Amino acid sequence: MGEQDRVDRVAPARRRGLADEVADRIREAIFSGAFAPGAQLREVELSGALDVSRGPVREALLRLEREGLVRSAWHRGATVTTLSAQDVAELDSLRGALEHLAVQHMVANASEEDIVAVEKAAERMDRAEDEHAMVACDIAFHDAVYAAARHLRLQEAWQAIRSQVHLFLLTRIGISSEGYLSHIPGEHRELAAALRARDAEAALELFATHRHHAFDVLTAPTAPSRPAEHRSTADEPAGAENHRAPTDL
């Protein structure tokens, strides 16, 4: 087969710029709390709010479904994922495994610039105005840690679950935000200090404690225990049905 024949067999590139932008806007709305877990994501309303046709919205929802932020069911359409007990357990265990490797590699490989980036991410938490902003800061801190690990495939593994971990933390504050704004900045300053000292043992213990705080809230008796597709309307979080496509999406 000649070179031109091989080139001709490559499928034409698809322009997905608009669908990407729509996915970004819907993701931001979920992370800001505009759409709570269990809230329906209706194509017609989203296309109207975003001033686009339904095609890019449909493609965007499929992308968010692959990220784990959205679930689709034939009788309900697309909804924001509600984490089941199994989802929570799997995310917690996988996150723990990735963090263990990230700490080890950061302690061994991080530059001074990397450590400063982690410290600055922790400092930004003091300026978070509300719980949703704090969750975003928490995710940004972990972004900095994975970047500092200097391990490309580990960073890609984190990116694969990043949106789901963000949803995990949003679910946590939806159940209980008591003490969240006051405690989280201090926890991350301690984490940054242990990483600055390159004390892997202390850092791993602190990361585990930090992670278990969220896990304990999510596994309390009032936490959700069933996958979203098995939930009835009566089982939705309070106000979920009222989370329509906001005009400022």
Side-chain angles (χ1 to χ4, degrees):
M1 182 184 296
E3 182 177 349
Q4 187 58 47
D5 291 332
R6 288 193 293 270
V7 171
D8 289 342
R9 293 184 65 180
V10 176
R14 297 178 61 197
R15 297 188 62 178
R16 299 185 64 253
L18 183 57
D20 288 341
E21 182 177 349
V22 171
D24 289 344
R25 298 288 294 278
I26 298 173
R27 187 188 302 105
E28 289 167 5
I30 293 171
F31 289 165
S32 72
F35 292 108
Q40 289 192 307
L41 299 167
R42 296 184 173 87
E43 288 181 14
V44 172
E45 294 172 355
L46 289 168
S47 64
L50 293 165
D51 194 23
V52 297
S53 66
R54 293 176 63 178
V57 172
R58 187 176 303 114
E59 190 171 353
L61 291 174
L62 287 172
R63 174 172 177 170
L64 296 176
E65 186 172 4
R66 289 193 294 271
E67 290 181 19
L69 281 180
V70 169
R71 285 180 178 161
S72 297
W74 68 269
H75 60 293
R76 294 203 65 199
T79 59
V80 179
T81 297
T82 299
L83 298 177
S84 67
Q86 182 176 348
D87 294 330
V88 169
E90 289 183 358
L91 280 169
D92 180 71
S93 61
L94 181 55
R95 181 183 170 194
L98 295 181
E99 285 180 354
H100 193 280
L101 192 57
V103 168
Q104 291 179 323
H105 279 267
M106 180 175 172
V107 166
N109 303 321
S111 66
E112 174 62 20
E113 183 180 359
D114 292 330
I115 294 172
V116 169
V118 170
E119 290 173 333
K120 287 183 177 179
E123 291 169 3
R124 282 193 288 273
M125 292 182 165
D126 289 322
R127 300 191 291 275
E129 296 179 354
D130 57 32
E131 287 84 356
H132 288 87
M134 186 66 79
V135 168
C137 287
D138 197 338
I139 294 294
F141 177 89
H142 289 275
D143 287 341
V145 171
Y146 282 100
R150 304 279 179 161
H151 190 306
L152 179 59
R153 285 171 175 78
L154 175 60
Q155 198 166 357
E156 290 173 346
W158 161 244
Q159 289 297 322
I161 66 166
R162 183 181 187 274
S163 289
Q164 295 175 62
V165 173
H166 201 137
L167 186 62
F168 181 105
L169 296 177
L170 290 177
T171 304
R172 178 252 192 267
I173 64 171
I175 294 170
S176 173
S177 60
E178 183 178 356
Y180 185 73
L181 288 176
S182 58
H183 294 157
I184 290 296
E187 288 183 11
H188 286 79
R189 283 193 296 271
E190 291 179 355
L191 287 168
L195 293 169
R196 155 71 68 185
R198 298 186 188 271
D199 187 338
E201 183 177 355
L204 287 170
E205 184 176 349
L206 288 167
F207 268 97
T209 300
H210 171 61
R211 194 172 61 253
H212 291 158
H213 285 164
F215 183 77
D216 289 345
V217 171
L218 284 165
T219 54
T222 55
S225 59
R226 286 174 291 162
E229 54 265 35
H230 296 302
R231 291 161 59 91
S232 68
T233 302
D235 290 327
E236 290 183 351
E241 280 297 310
N242 295 323
H243 283 279
R244 310 301 190 196
T247 57
D248 59 346
L249 188 68

